[in-house]
Amino acid sequence: RRRVGLCWFVHIGTNFSAISPWDMDGQIINSLFLSNSAFIHIKTLDGLILNCSPSWAAQFEQSVEQVNGHFEHDFYSASKLKQIHTYEKTVLTGEVQEYEEWRTADDDNMLLQTIKYPLYDEHEKVVAILTVSHDLTEVMELNERLLNENGEHLRIEAELSRNNSLLNSVINATPDPVAFMNENGKFVGANEGYCEVVGVKHADLIGMDRKNLISIDKKTWLLEQENQLLLDGKSVRYEELLHLSDQDSRWYEICKQRYINNMNGESGILIIYRDLTERKRIEHDLEQAIEKFDELSSTDALTKVANRRTFDNKLTHYWLTHHNEVKKMSLLFCDVDCFKLYNDNYGHPMGEVVL
């Protein structure tokens, strides 16, 4: 039996070359998606998936390669698509849409914060939609935990940068500071958040040597770290307390990842700053609350002397220690004689002062 197939080619008026295929920009966006744990995907207005992060593909038990080139309706139910299209009505007019929703995955409930951004071609026409979803479940659980001890909050995640209409839409969509530099250490792109952190205007930052932003005490360490990253391609993550001008010091998790342009072999480094200040504050408050709880549970509220619970623990400890070391141990009992008469005469408030 022979089979005959009909292939129909239709010219699309919109210039999709600004979206796919990508060359240098595509390499940077791919590196950005691969280094990010958020659920991210870019689609055309008719639902064709152009690119996505591994986490977005994994929710459908697929790889990025298996998902790219398919349509949203291949993965979502009709009711879910209807809900998505409702949210995207304002995006098609050029507005950013943000909402939160609960989603079930592997029998677990996730609270997702979703932001949809319009992406434009060179004619300022909306040709695609960027969707970024952050899993807020951990934040919510940490909030509930600290509320039982004394309240809490957490952080938000993000992405990268370049001087192209599509790439700028992706990079400037993230609230986190993001920059990238070439293999010679020159900045070739950054968003406003990164410029604010380093205290340099965007126009002055582009083309600037990375060495100009590094303090003398950190220069050797950071240059060795980045040179090693360019050699082996192993991403780097570390935490650092930054002293910003005219602001309080803030904690950041700094993520660095190598990107390579397959067209000409050039490489560079993507830099993402994730603000950990709120998480650090919550962890500190939680630690203080636990220490306060331990103190309250081990001391007498009136006298601040170790209570019966502490005494029992100490007695067991010393008893076992002296038994193992075959040493003698003495136990001293003290009592305040006739204290009832004092209370009867002067009153219990004065008795508490004496105690």
Side-chain angles (χ1 to χ4, degrees):
R1 296 173 58 187
R2 293 188 300 170
R3 295 182 180 272
V4 178
L6 173 64
C7 185
W8 185 19
F9 292 86
V10 180
H11 174 71
I12 300 176
T14 303
N15 181 14
F16 278 89
S17 63
I19 298 175
S20 177
W22 293 315
D23 47 19
M24 180 66 167
D25 296 343
Q27 295 298 320
I28 295 174
I29 291 177
N30 285 335
S31 298
L32 171 62
F33 282 10
L34 290 173
S35 65
N36 204 298
S37 61
F39 301 92
I40 308 174
H41 74 283
I42 297 177
K43 67 172 185 176
T44 61
L45 300 187
D46 59 355
L48 177 66
I49 306 301
L50 299 176
N51 206 345
C52 69
S53 64
S55 56
W56 193 86
Q59 65 181 323
F60 307 110
E61 299 182 351
Q62 303 283 324
S63 66
V64 173
E65 292 74 15
Q66 292 172 315
V67 169
N68 289 346
H70 288 267
F71 288 86
E72 271 191 328
H73 61 66
D74 295 326
F75 308 102
Y76 290 127
S77 64
S79 59
K80 181 62 177 178
L81 281 175
K82 183 178 180 181
Q83 181 187 30
I84 291 175
H85 293 158
T86 300
Y87 288 127
E88 291 177 349
K89 287 181 179 179
T90 56
V91 182
L92 298 178
T93 65
E95 296 184 19
V96 176
Q97 178 69 39
E98 180 176 349
Y99 59 92
E100 293 182 2
E101 63 177 346
W102 283 96
R103 182 180 299 176
T104 302
D106 298 328
D107 297 327
D108 292 328
N109 291 326
M110 290 192 303
L111 177 61
L112 293 181
Q113 180 194 51
T114 299
I115 309 176
K116 291 182 176 289
Y117 303 93
L119 301 182
Y120 303 90
D121 62 10
E122 68 275 15
H123 304 298
E124 297 299 320
K125 179 180 179 181
V126 178
V127 294
I129 296 175
L130 166 68
T131 302
V132 182
S133 296
H134 298 281
D135 185 356
L136 300 183
T137 311
E138 182 181 350
V139 178
M140 184 197 68
E141 291 175 350
L142 187 57
N143 257 336
E144 291 178 352
R145 182 180 175 190
L146 191 55
L147 281 174
N148 294 334
E149 300 276 351
N150 268 345
E152 94 172 320
H153 295 292
L154 203 55
R155 55 156 208 248
I156 298 175
E157 288 222 29
E159 276 105 302
L160 242 255
S161 76
R162 181 151 173 90
N163 196 16
N164 158 285
S165 60
L166 172 62
L167 192 56
N168 281 335
S169 296
V170 175
I171 293 172
N172 291 324
T174 173
D176 288 348
V178 178
F180 61 94
M181 57 186 180
N182 59 26
E183 57 189 0
N184 298 318
K186 305 285 187 180
F187 284 100
V188 291
N191 64 5
E192 289 300 326
Y194 187 87
C195 295
E196 291 179 6
V197 169
V198 298
V200 178
K201 293 182 179 179
H202 188 272
D204 297 331
L205 183 68
I206 304 305
M208 180 182 290
D209 195 307
R210 171 91 164 116
K211 297 177 183 177
N212 297 336
L213 297 179
I214 305 176
S215 59
I216 297 177
D217 58 322
K218 296 179 181 178
K219 182 172 292 187
T220 302
W221 171 69
L222 281 175
L223 292 179
E224 289 179 354
Q225 176 198 86
E226 291 169 357
N227 288 335
Q228 187 64 36
L229 172 59
L230 289 171
L231 287 174
D232 58 29
K234 295 181 179 178
S235 61
V236 176
R237 290 178 184 269
Y238 60 94
E239 295 180 3
E240 185 174 357
L241 180 63
L242 299 181
H243 305 282
L244 309 182
S245 58
D246 301 328
Q247 296 184 38
D248 295 333
S249 299
R250 301 192 71 82
W251 277 99
Y252 285 95
E253 178 190 55
I254 302 175
C255 173
K256 298 179 181 178
Q257 172 133 0
R258 182 181 69 180
Y259 69 85
I260 298 178
N261 178 11
N262 293 332
M263 301 294 291
N264 55 25
E266 292 181 358
S267 62
I269 297 178
L270 307 176
I271 307 173
I272 304 176
Y273 281 48
R274 182 178 305 148
D275 195 336
L276 301 180
T277 308
E278 187 67 8
R279 195 192 78 182
K280 290 286 187 181
R281 184 192 66 78
I282 292 171
E283 290 175 350
H284 178 266
D285 290 348
L286 183 59
E287 186 176 313
Q288 294 293 316
I290 292 174
E291 290 179 1
K292 184 66 175 177
F293 175 77
D294 289 341
E295 178 184 345
L296 292 175
S297 63
S298 62
T299 58
D300 177 68
L302 176 63
T303 63
K304 307 304 179 185
V305 175
N307 59 17
R308 175 59 183 270
R309 175 173 174 267
T310 305
F311 170 78
D312 289 341
N313 292 336
K314 291 290 186 180
L315 178 60
T316 301
H317 169 74
Y318 287 121
W319 181 270
L320 293 175
T321 300
H322 284 67
H323 181 270
N324 293 336
E325 298 178 1
V326 194
K327 291 183 178 180
K328 295 181 179 180
M329 184 177 75
S330 299
L331 184 62
L332 181 65
F333 286 86
C334 298
D335 185 31
V336 181
D337 290 333
C338 305
F339 197 69
K340 182 177 183 304
L341 296 177
Y342 186 92
N343 279 335
D344 292 343
N345 186 47
Y346 295 103
H348 286 279
M350 288 302 299
E352 291 183 357
V353 173
V354 172
L355 290 177

